[in-house]
Amino acid sequence: MKYEMYMALKISKETEMEWREEEFYRYYKSLNDDKHNNEKLLLKYDRMYDLIESTKKIDHILKMNSIIKVIMSKLTDIIAETINGRSPRSVI
């Protein structure tokens, strides 16, 4: 039913691609933001990939590569905080 309703709108493929690109860059900006919530990093990255999977534009590939670096640095911080935040356990 929803698909038929969407198709009835007769949205062009060009418009759909523009929307995908806009959403891709919103995710890109969000993931580059230092205030970003770390718990959804990989979900957003995955969504970015889904949005541009069919385009194969070099700009998109370079942006995805830079986001991987951002995610890796944030994950390293999360892991370090987890390890350093643990209290020592006593052995009985």
Side-chain angles (χ1 to χ4, degrees):
M1 175 91 176
K2 287 184 182 181
Y3 178 77
E4 289 82 13
M5 291 170 58
Y6 180 77
M7 293 307 290
L9 296 173
K10 298 184 182 189
I11 298 169
S12 71
K13 293 293 180 191
E14 292 81 20
T15 300
E16 287 179 348
M17 287 305 295
E18 286 176 26
W19 291 345
R20 285 175 174 260
E21 188 128 350
E22 287 172 9
E23 190 172 3
F24 174 83
Y25 284 106
R26 273 196 301 273
Y27 278 118
Y28 178 77
K29 184 178 178 191
S30 172
L31 286 168
N32 273 311
D33 185 2
D34 287 336
K35 299 173 188 167
H36 185 265
N37 182 354
N38 289 334
E39 66 188 46
K40 295 188 179 181
L41 289 173
L42 298 178
L43 292 174
K44 286 190 173 190
Y45 177 84
D46 190 49
R47 179 66 182 136
M48 283 178 71
Y49 178 82
D50 290 344
L51 288 166
I52 56 98
E53 181 178 19
S54 62
T55 66
K56 299 187 180 22
K57 291 183 180 178
I58 190 69
D59 182 54
H60 294 155
I61 294 168
L62 294 172
K63 297 269 190 249
M64 295 298 287
N65 186 49
S66 72
I67 288 300
I68 288 172
K69 292 175 184 175
V70 169
I71 290 172
M72 291 304 294
S73 70
K74 290 182 180 188
L75 288 178
T76 302
D77 291 345
I78 293 168
I79 292 167
E81 288 172 6
T82 301
I83 292 170
N84 292 329
R86 292 184 181 163
S87 58
R89 297 184 178 147
S90 61
V91 178
I92 300 177

